[in-house]
Amino acid sequence: MGAFREAAEEAEPVVVLPRGFDSSEPTPLVIALHGTGGTGREMARAWRGAARRVGAILVAPDALRPSGNGYAWVFRDESEWYVEKLIAEMREEYAIGEVVLVGFSQGANIALAMGRSHPELFDAVVPVCGHWEADAAGLPEAPAEGEEDDRPAWYLLIGERDPWQATYDEAEELLGAAGMRVSVEKVRGLGHAMPRDRVLEGALRWCLE
């Protein structure tokens, strides 16, 4: 972890500010995690338009551990520490409103786990083409009667031809039964791939309603 943290201190994730950005106004933050062998720059290209149209700051980091032509989120504790670090840094620099964690493939798996293990950090989670595993993390506890529910909302986005699409049915059932806001979109004709820009925008708009 020590070497990883040193690399993270020197890393410069892609940051995209919305048009007409006003640093004095609370602005939504979207943290985007790439898949195995991917890069933050690739995720920034995929999410840039959607984030700008909903008026959100987009942050897309590299996972830092080399894999193929890019990087991979090899160790979950490293990944979660890094995401927490990025959120803290953005809060120091900007007036941050809602925080949405998005991810594709392996990045979606990190998002699926971290939304449950650190629910207080996020207002919403958008795992794209992930693999739901119920035992990867426990479900966050429901609030006591009269207390505000600060658990994240979940927009589960996956291609109808993705080999893991059936796992999102279980996710929807368990998250919904736990009392969390959840929606599933299975994109027609799509396999294990990033949906088109307008689909991503729709997911963000749902999260920020």
Side-chain angles (χ1 to χ4, degrees):
M1 175 73 89
F4 180 88
R5 292 193 178 194
E6 290 179 10
E9 294 295 341
E10 298 179 2
E12 296 184 3
V14 180
V15 178
V16 181
L17 301 178
R19 292 189 177 92
F21 175 67
D22 183 346
S23 61
S24 66
E25 292 293 327
T27 304
L29 172 65
V30 175
I31 303 285
L33 308 180
H34 61 75
T36 301
T39 65
R41 193 170 298 279
E42 292 171 354
M43 285 296 280
R45 284 198 296 268
W47 287 88
R48 182 189 306 267
R52 278 182 168 168
R53 286 193 295 275
V54 301
I57 299 170
L58 174 65
V59 177
D62 289 332
L64 302 181
R65 289 192 176 274
S67 175
N69 293 323
Y71 303 90
W73 306 99
V74 177
F75 300 107
R76 182 174 149 190
D77 59 338
E78 290 180 347
S79 307
E80 295 189 350
W81 172 85
Y82 193 19
V83 171
E84 289 185 77
K85 176 181 181 295
L86 291 172
I87 293 172
E89 289 176 346
M90 296 304 292
R91 289 194 183 280
E92 288 179 2
E93 189 165 357
Y94 303 110
I96 296 300
E98 301 97 326
V99 178
V100 182
L101 179 64
V102 309
F104 172 72
S105 193
Q106 187 191 40
N109 296 341
I110 295 295
L112 284 165
M114 197 170 184
R116 287 176 280 164
S117 62
H118 295 75
E120 73 285 353
L121 293 178
F122 311 107
D123 294 277
V125 181
V126 184
V128 182
C129 294
H131 178 198
W132 168 267
E133 294 180 317
D135 59 357
L139 292 172
E141 293 184 3
E145 186 175 352
E147 292 185 354
E148 183 178 356
D149 191 347
D150 61 356
R151 297 175 297 173
W154 298 80
Y155 197 94
L156 308 174
L157 184 55
I158 197 165
E160 67 171 1
R161 295 181 179 176
D162 191 296
W164 302 113
Q165 59 86 15
T167 70
Y168 274 25
D169 296 332
E170 179 185 2
E172 180 182 27
E173 180 180 355
L174 293 175
L175 294 169
M180 284 179 278
R181 182 170 168 243
V182 57
S183 180
V184 175
E185 180 177 0
K186 296 183 180 182
V187 182
R188 184 177 180 180
L190 187 71
H192 191 75
M194 188 71 70
R196 67 185 187 277
D197 179 68
R198 291 296 180 176
V199 174
L200 302 180
E201 179 185 349
L204 291 182
R205 291 197 181 280
W206 183 90
C207 292
L208 298 173
E209 287 177 351

PDB file of all heavy atoms in Angstrom, residues 152-167:
ATOM      1  N   PRO A 152     -26.853   5.506  -0.555  1.00  0.00           N
ATOM      2  CA  PRO A 152     -26.911   5.929  -1.959  1.00  0.00           C
ATOM      3  C   PRO A 152     -28.079   5.319  -2.724  1.00  0.00           C
ATOM      4  O   PRO A 152     -28.600   4.257  -2.372  1.00  0.00           O
ATOM      5  CB  PRO A 152     -25.582   5.426  -2.527  1.00  0.00           C
ATOM      6  CG  PRO A 152     -25.224   4.257  -1.671  1.00  0.00           C
ATOM      7  CD  PRO A 152     -25.704   4.611  -0.292  1.00  0.00           C
ATOM      8  N   ALA A 153     -28.473   6.024  -3.780  1.00  0.00           N
ATOM      9  CA  ALA A 153     -29.377   5.454  -4.771  1.00  0.00           C
ATOM     10  C   ALA A 153     -28.536   4.662  -5.767  1.00  0.00           C
ATOM     11  O   ALA A 153     -27.339   4.917  -5.933  1.00  0.00           O
ATOM     12  CB  ALA A 153     -30.152   6.563  -5.480  1.00  0.00           C
ATOM     13  N   TRP A 154     -29.165   3.703  -6.457  1.00  0.00           N
ATOM     14  CA  TRP A 154     -28.432   2.799  -7.348  1.00  0.00           C
ATOM     15  C   TRP A 154     -29.084   2.780  -8.722  1.00  0.00           C
ATOM     16  O   TRP A 154     -30.262   2.464  -8.853  1.00  0.00           O
ATOM     17  CB  TRP A 154     -28.449   1.381  -6.789  1.00  0.00           C
ATOM     18  CG  TRP A 154     -27.784   1.242  -5.453  1.00  0.00           C
ATOM     19  CD1 TRP A 154     -28.317   1.549  -4.239  1.00  0.00           C
ATOM     20  CD2 TRP A 154     -26.458   0.772  -5.207  1.00  0.00           C
ATOM     21  NE1 TRP A 154     -27.409   1.294  -3.244  1.00  0.00           N
ATOM     22  CE2 TRP A 154     -26.253   0.820  -3.814  1.00  0.00           C
ATOM     23  CE3 TRP A 154     -25.435   0.315  -6.031  1.00  0.00           C
ATOM     24  CZ2 TRP A 154     -25.061   0.422  -3.226  1.00  0.00           C
ATOM     25  CZ3 TRP A 154     -24.245  -0.086  -5.445  1.00  0.00           C
ATOM     26  CH2 TRP A 154     -24.072  -0.027  -4.057  1.00  0.00           C
ATOM     27  N   TYR A 155     -28.295   3.120  -9.743  1.00  0.00           N
ATOM     28  CA  TYR A 155     -28.749   2.981 -11.124  1.00  0.00           C
ATOM     29  C   TYR A 155     -27.880   1.915 -11.777  1.00  0.00           C
ATOM     30  O   TYR A 155     -26.725   2.150 -12.131  1.00  0.00           O
ATOM     31  CB  TYR A 155     -28.626   4.310 -11.890  1.00  0.00           C
ATOM     32  CG  TYR A 155     -29.439   4.328 -13.161  1.00  0.00           C
ATOM     33  CD1 TYR A 155     -30.733   4.843 -13.176  1.00  0.00           C
ATOM     34  CD2 TYR A 155     -28.916   3.822 -14.349  1.00  0.00           C
ATOM     35  CE1 TYR A 155     -31.482   4.860 -14.337  1.00  0.00           C
ATOM     36  CE2 TYR A 155     -29.661   3.829 -15.513  1.00  0.00           C
ATOM     37  CZ  TYR A 155     -30.947   4.353 -15.500  1.00  0.00           C
ATOM     38  OH  TYR A 155     -31.697   4.353 -16.652  1.00  0.00           O
ATOM     39  N   LEU A 156     -28.421   0.722 -11.916  1.00  0.00           N
ATOM     40  CA  LEU A 156     -27.678  -0.438 -12.405  1.00  0.00           C
ATOM     41  C   LEU A 156     -27.833  -0.513 -13.924  1.00  0.00           C
ATOM     42  O   LEU A 156     -28.915  -0.792 -14.436  1.00  0.00           O
ATOM     43  CB  LEU A 156     -28.198  -1.708 -11.742  1.00  0.00           C
ATOM     44  CG  LEU A 156     -28.255  -1.669 -10.204  1.00  0.00           C
ATOM     45  CD1 LEU A 156     -28.913  -2.931  -9.663  1.00  0.00           C
ATOM     46  CD2 LEU A 156     -26.872  -1.482  -9.624  1.00  0.00           C
ATOM     47  N   LEU A 157     -26.751  -0.247 -14.629  1.00  0.00           N
ATOM     48  CA  LEU A 157     -26.777  -0.112 -16.082  1.00  0.00           C
ATOM     49  C   LEU A 157     -25.932  -1.213 -16.719  1.00  0.00           C
ATOM     50  O   LEU A 157     -24.754  -1.378 -16.379  1.00  0.00           O
ATOM     51  CB  LEU A 157     -26.222   1.270 -16.452  1.00  0.00           C
ATOM     52  CG  LEU A 157     -26.219   1.719 -17.910  1.00  0.00           C
ATOM     53  CD1 LEU A 157     -27.613   1.646 -18.510  1.00  0.00           C
ATOM     54  CD2 LEU A 157     -25.683   3.147 -17.987  1.00  0.00           C
ATOM     55  N   ILE A 158     -26.539  -1.964 -17.649  1.00  0.00           N
ATOM     56  CA  ILE A 158     -25.829  -3.099 -18.233  1.00  0.00           C
ATOM     57  C   ILE A 158     -26.442  -3.443 -19.584  1.00  0.00           C
ATOM     58  O   ILE A 158     -27.626  -3.158 -19.843  1.00  0.00           O
ATOM     59  CB  ILE A 158     -25.887  -4.324 -17.282  1.00  0.00           C
ATOM     60  CG1 ILE A 158     -24.830  -5.362 -17.647  1.00  0.00           C
ATOM     61  CG2 ILE A 158     -27.285  -4.920 -17.225  1.00  0.00           C
ATOM     62  CD1 ILE A 158     -24.598  -6.412 -16.550  1.00  0.00           C
ATOM     63  N   GLY A 159     -25.649  -4.023 -20.473  1.00  0.00           N
ATOM     64  CA  GLY A 159     -26.175  -4.466 -21.757  1.00  0.00           C
ATOM     65  C   GLY A 159     -27.007  -5.732 -21.603  1.00  0.00           C
ATOM     66  O   GLY A 159     -26.674  -6.608 -20.800  1.00  0.00           O
ATOM     67  N   GLU A 160     -28.054  -5.849 -22.395  1.00  0.00           N
ATOM     68  CA  GLU A 160     -28.904  -7.038 -22.292  1.00  0.00           C
ATOM     69  C   GLU A 160     -28.159  -8.291 -22.737  1.00  0.00           C
ATOM     70  O   GLU A 160     -28.537  -9.406 -22.376  1.00  0.00           O
ATOM     71  CB  GLU A 160     -30.180  -6.870 -23.115  1.00  0.00           C
ATOM     72  CG  GLU A 160     -29.971  -6.819 -24.611  1.00  0.00           C
ATOM     73  CD  GLU A 160     -31.271  -6.880 -25.403  1.00  0.00           C
ATOM     74  OE1 GLU A 160     -32.339  -6.945 -24.775  1.00  0.00           O
ATOM     75  OE2 GLU A 160     -31.207  -6.874 -26.653  1.00  0.00           O
ATOM     76  N   ARG A 161     -27.066  -8.123 -23.499  1.00  0.00           N
ATOM     77  CA  ARG A 161     -26.265  -9.263 -23.939  1.00  0.00           C
ATOM     78  C   ARG A 161     -25.015  -9.455 -23.094  1.00  0.00           C
ATOM     79  O   ARG A 161     -24.196 -10.331 -23.386  1.00  0.00           O
ATOM     80  CB  ARG A 161     -25.874  -9.073 -25.410  1.00  0.00           C
ATOM     81  CG  ARG A 161     -27.065  -9.072 -26.366  1.00  0.00           C
ATOM     82  CD  ARG A 161     -26.609  -8.907 -27.803  1.00  0.00           C
ATOM     83  NE  ARG A 161     -27.734  -8.928 -28.741  1.00  0.00           N
ATOM     84  CZ  ARG A 161     -27.630  -8.736 -30.051  1.00  0.00           C
ATOM     85  NH1 ARG A 161     -26.415  -8.526 -30.571  1.00  0.00           N
ATOM     86  NH2 ARG A 161     -28.692  -8.757 -30.827  1.00  0.00           N
ATOM     87  N   ASP A 162     -24.852  -8.649 -22.083  1.00  0.00           N
ATOM     88  CA  ASP A 162     -23.703  -8.806 -21.190  1.00  0.00           C
ATOM     89  C   ASP A 162     -23.842 -10.130 -20.434  1.00  0.00           C
ATOM     90  O   ASP A 162     -24.927 -10.440 -19.922  1.00  0.00           O
ATOM     91  CB  ASP A 162     -23.653  -7.637 -20.195  1.00  0.00           C
ATOM     92  CG  ASP A 162     -22.362  -7.579 -19.406  1.00  0.00           C
ATOM     93  OD1 ASP A 162     -22.104  -8.534 -18.636  1.00  0.00           O
ATOM     94  OD2 ASP A 162     -21.614  -6.593 -19.531  1.00  0.00           O
ATOM     95  N   PRO A 163     -22.780 -10.926 -20.323  1.00  0.00           N
ATOM     96  CA  PRO A 163     -22.898 -12.216 -19.647  1.00  0.00           C
ATOM     97  C   PRO A 163     -23.272 -12.105 -18.175  1.00  0.00           C
ATOM     98  O   PRO A 163     -23.724 -13.090 -17.586  1.00  0.00           O
ATOM     99  CB  PRO A 163     -21.506 -12.836 -19.819  1.00  0.00           C
ATOM    100  CG  PRO A 163     -20.593 -11.702 -20.155  1.00  0.00           C
ATOM    101  CD  PRO A 163     -21.427 -10.728 -20.898  1.00  0.00           C
ATOM    102  N   TRP A 164     -23.096 -10.925 -17.575  1.00  0.00           N
ATOM    103  CA  TRP A 164     -23.398 -10.772 -16.156  1.00  0.00           C
ATOM    104  C   TRP A 164     -24.725 -10.055 -15.907  1.00  0.00           C
ATOM    105  O   TRP A 164     -25.029  -9.718 -14.754  1.00  0.00           O
ATOM    106  CB  TRP A 164     -22.276 -10.011 -15.457  1.00  0.00           C
ATOM    107  CG  TRP A 164     -20.934 -10.662 -15.593  1.00  0.00           C
ATOM    108  CD1 TRP A 164     -19.850 -10.193 -16.269  1.00  0.00           C
ATOM    109  CD2 TRP A 164     -20.542 -11.941 -15.062  1.00  0.00           C
ATOM    110  NE1 TRP A 164     -18.799 -11.073 -16.193  1.00  0.00           N
ATOM    111  CE2 TRP A 164     -19.202 -12.162 -15.462  1.00  0.00           C
ATOM    112  CE3 TRP A 164     -21.186 -12.912 -14.297  1.00  0.00           C
ATOM    113  CZ2 TRP A 164     -18.501 -13.314 -15.118  1.00  0.00           C
ATOM    114  CZ3 TRP A 164     -20.490 -14.057 -13.964  1.00  0.00           C
ATOM    115  CH2 TRP A 164     -19.169 -14.253 -14.361  1.00  0.00           C
ATOM    116  N   GLN A 165     -25.519  -9.850 -16.953  1.00  0.00           N
ATOM    117  CA  GLN A 165     -26.722  -9.037 -16.774  1.00  0.00           C
ATOM    118  C   GLN A 165     -27.702  -9.645 -15.769  1.00  0.00           C
ATOM    119  O   GLN A 165     -28.393  -8.920 -15.051  1.00  0.00           O
ATOM    120  CB  GLN A 165     -27.399  -8.778 -18.123  1.00  0.00           C
ATOM    121  CG  GLN A 165     -27.826  -9.985 -18.917  1.00  0.00           C
ATOM    122  CD  GLN A 165     -29.194 -10.505 -18.554  1.00  0.00           C
ATOM    123  OE1 GLN A 165     -29.987  -9.820 -17.898  1.00  0.00           O
ATOM    124  NE2 GLN A 165     -29.485 -11.737 -18.951  1.00  0.00           N
ATOM    125  N   ALA A 166     -27.746 -10.982 -15.670  1.00  0.00           N
ATOM    126  CA  ALA A 166     -28.676 -11.609 -14.729  1.00  0.00           C
ATOM    127  C   ALA A 166     -28.332 -11.297 -13.277  1.00  0.00           C
ATOM    128  O   ALA A 166     -29.218 -11.306 -12.403  1.00  0.00           O
ATOM    129  CB  ALA A 166     -28.701 -13.119 -14.957  1.00  0.00           C
ATOM    130  N   THR A 167     -27.065 -10.989 -12.990  1.00  0.00           N
ATOM    131  CA  THR A 167     -26.693 -10.687 -11.601  1.00  0.00           C
ATOM    132  C   THR A 167     -27.312  -9.377 -11.133  1.00  0.00           C
ATOM    133  O   THR A 167     -27.460  -9.158  -9.924  1.00  0.00           O
ATOM    134  CB  THR A 167     -25.162 -10.615 -11.421  1.00  0.00           C
ATOM    135  OG1 THR A 167     -24.630  -9.445 -12.063  1.00  0.00           O
ATOM    136  CG2 THR A 167     -24.486 -11.851 -11.987  1.00  0.00           C
TER     137      THR A 167
END
